Amino acid sequence: MSERSFNVFTARAEQIDPEANIIATYYVEGKDISIVEAGVKIAAEESIGTWTEVSTATEWIVKNLPAKVFEHKVQDKNTGIIKIAYPNTLFDFETGGIPHILSIVAGNLFGSSSLQNVRLLDLEFPSEFVSLFKGPKFGIEGVRKLIGTLDDRRPHLGTIIKPKVGLNPKETANVAYEAAMGGVDFIKDDETLTNQKFCPLADRVTHVMTALDRVKSETGRTVLYSPDVTTETYKLRDLAQVALDHGANALMVDVIPCGFSAVRLLAEDPSIKVPIHVHRCMHAAMTRNPKHGISMMVISKLVRLAGGDQFHTGTAAGKMGGKEKKIEELISINDFLKGRFYRLKATFPVASGGVHPTLVPINVLTLGKDLVIQAGGGIHGHPEGTRVGATAMRQAIDAAVNGVPLEEYAKTHRELAVAIKHWGMKFVSDD
Ligand code: 3PG
């Protein structure tokens, strides 16, 4: 590394003002270069540098725009953690928003031939940037108010209609009715169901909402339904409107296929007055490799900024659950979504994927009560059907919240007993 590059692209920690920079933390593995050299490669490429010196860089550019490596922690030889400060002047926060931030802090660097691996672990934003976002319209408190759980603050129970595709609108509505009568608070489409011919969105929403109106008149309970409006950006607003016109009281979107701006588009539209449920399918292409990619924490921060009211973050036990380190990470992600973040409302973390009643206590004990715990197979796969499956899940939640061992609770709750007998303590492993 030349002395000039070192001087231009590094700084001491005390020189970095967190209000004047976006700060990115990376795990890096240099290819025969130190982690500071690796950091300088990133800082240069993502701000004003390229593979060679150029004669066109003015004094103003060199003074104001370089990103700077200002902290590093070597873990092993060429491997470690670095922090890079990207000066606010590098961005037009208002015009560029999240896409522009990502094209810098998570841009070309992932393909650099100087790096064996690189993972964006965290992002910290100056208040000037965050102040441009409205965040979740409802947040945890707003969703609890709609469902009626502001006082008892138990975890919400959600279900994903299964099979994930194939049912027609009437069949979908029948399953929704049964699930709601069994005790779910929230119903969502699966991430692959949108507007296919066998189950058109408008018809589906009409039938499901009619069924949920029936549930309301029979039980007094409000149940939310979020149809999946995942589509091309230019069609998103219109598709959301179709769902709303037919009565949808929530909306769902797949954030990685659609982009963070799709969530923001829905959340910041003043005419959309329902919560936005955000599914994370495709995230593992970025999050799964612990050495390379983008962490789930970064994705979660961007979803809260963009305005997701509910967001899938994973389970403490389920088909994606397991490793201790992952659980620690999951807890800190959920804590971030629930905790203070400037003036933005909190996002409800969603634990979903392979959950069934016997896995409820570990999820609730690990992740707390501000949680939407969801089951598809774990409700519709109950030997006595959807309604009983939903009741068994609600009983498992009640047992967990009251600190009663599941087997004990099952002695007086038959639906739960049947579920325990059917699934035992099985951890499913299919991602
Ligand atoms: C989801 O959307 O999280 C999955 O479809 C969950 O389905 P499962 O509960 O049947 O694993």
Side-chain angles (χ1 to χ4, degrees):
M1 178 174 41
S2 73
E3 198 180 326
R4 184 171 184 279
S5 291
F6 185 84
N7 290 337
V8 171
F9 297 110
T10 63
R12 292 192 309 280
E14 59 274 19
Q15 294 174 307
I16 300 301
D17 173 3
E19 279 300 332
N21 293 275
I22 288 190
I23 293 170
T25 306
Y26 300 94
Y27 165 83
V28 287
E29 280 179 25
K31 257 192 202 158
D32 298 324
I33 53 173
S34 73
I35 65 164
V36 175
E37 285 172 306
V40 165
K41 293 265 182 207
I42 295 172
E45 172 63 31
E46 300 300 355
S47 58
I48 63 165
T50 184
W51 58 274
T52 185
E53 295 280 335
V54 293
S55 59
T56 42
T58 63
E59 225 174 90
W60 180 84
I61 292 173
V62 176
K63 184 164 184 278
N64 292 289
L65 299 184
K68 302 213 180 245
V69 182
F70 68 95
E71 239 181 73
H72 70 277
K73 203 163 131 205
V74 179
Q75 289 177 336
D76 182 26
K77 241 174 102 191
N78 304 337
T79 303
I81 308 289
I82 54 159
K83 283 192 181 229
I84 297 182
Y86 294 89
N88 292 358
T89 326
L90 203 50
F91 309 87
D92 172 355
F93 288 153
E94 195 140 7
T95 315
I98 294 174
H100 186 227
I101 302 285
L102 287 177
S103 56
I104 294 179
V105 303
N108 282 351
L109 63 98
F110 289 113
S112 168
S113 57
S114 308
L115 307 176
Q116 187 66 38
N117 281 300
V118 54
R119 182 171 169 86
L120 175 59
L121 297 174
D122 202 5
L123 286 177
E124 292 156 70
F125 306 104
S127 50
E128 182 192 338
F129 179 67
V130 179
S131 68
L132 297 169
F133 290 83
K134 294 191 165 73
K137 229 180 235 152
F138 290 80
I140 294 179
E141 299 309 299
V143 173
R144 282 199 176 282
K145 194 167 171 204
L146 292 174
I147 306 264
T149 56
L150 275 174
D151 294 333
D152 76 3
R153 304 204 70 83
R154 63 170 170 79
H156 285 173
L157 173 59
T159 193
I160 312 100
I161 303 285
K162 298 279 173 176
K164 62 202 300 166
V165 290
L167 298 177
N168 66 32
K170 254 196 183 149
E171 291 163 340
T172 306
N174 287 341
V175 177
Y177 177 77
E178 287 298 304
M181 290 303 285
V184 306
D185 305 294
F186 171 70
I187 296 168
K188 66 176 268 294
D189 288 343
D190 224 327
E191 74 284 352
T192 58
L193 178 66
T194 56
N195 194 27
Q196 289 97 321
K197 289 196 175 54
F198 53 77
C199 198
L201 182 80
D203 229 19
R204 178 167 84 245
V205 176
T206 304
H207 279 92
V208 171
M209 291 315 296
T210 306
L212 296 186
D213 286 347
R214 230 176 100 205
V215 173
K216 176 92 181 167
S217 66
E218 287 166 19
T219 67
R221 291 175 47 241
T222 297
V223 175
L224 297 180
Y225 169 52
S226 68
D228 181 11
V229 294
T230 293
T231 184
E232 303 277 4
T233 312
Y234 75 98
K235 292 183 180 164
L236 184 59
R237 184 65 197 74
D238 288 349
L239 200 61
Q241 195 56 52
V242 169
L244 296 171
D245 288 346
H246 290 82
N249 57 7
L251 293 171
M252 172 179 135
V253 69
D254 297 343
V255 62
I256 306 298
C258 288
F260 297 97
S261 303
V263 176
R264 190 176 186 189
L265 188 151
L266 296 175
E268 294 196 2
D269 184 328
S271 70
I272 296 179
K273 298 182 171 71
V274 299
I276 311 297
H277 180 93
V278 182
H279 197 286
R280 64 173 183 164
C281 63
M282 203 171 124
H283 75 95
M286 292 180 277
T287 61
R288 188 166 189 166
N289 181 342
K291 295 181 171 180
H292 192 84
I294 300 179
S295 75
M296 196 52 209
M297 177 60 99
V298 168
I299 293 174
S300 303
K301 283 190 174 179
L302 297 176
V303 166
R304 185 165 174 190
L305 272 178
D309 290 290
Q310 302 196 147
F311 182 46
H312 290 228
T313 58
T315 58
K319 64 187 180 191
M320 286 99 168
K323 306 249 163 58
E324 217 172 274
K325 218 166 168 201
K326 281 230 170 245
I327 290 176
E328 268 170 36
E329 190 191 351
L330 172 60
I331 291 170
S332 59
I333 289 165
N334 283 15
D335 285 348
F336 164 77
L337 290 177
K338 295 184 286 184
R340 266 179 75 89
F341 182 46
Y342 294 91
R343 62 184 208 302
L344 302 189
K345 290 184 177 134
T347 298
F348 230 135
V350 178
S352 188
V355 175
H356 57 78
T358 40
L359 301 183
V360 167
I362 183 169
N363 277 291
V364 173
L365 287 176
T366 311
L367 303 174
K369 291 203 271 183
D370 273 331
L371 185 70
V372 181
I373 187 150
Q374 277 184 182
I379 284 181
H380 312 293
H382 190 288
E384 295 184 15
T386 292
R387 187 185 298 218
V388 177
T391 303
M393 278 291 290
R394 273 295 291 273
Q395 291 168 348
I397 290 174
D398 291 344
V401 165
N402 292 307
V404 182
L406 223 48
E407 277 89 350
E408 194 56 37
Y409 208 71
K411 286 181 187 159
T412 50
H413 295 84
R414 201 189 65 79
E415 297 83 351
L416 179 60
V418 173
I420 294 174
K421 186 157 178 252
H422 186 59
W423 283 299
M425 285 306 291
K426 196 167 75 180
F427 277 49
V428 282
S429 61
D430 172 22
D431 258 19

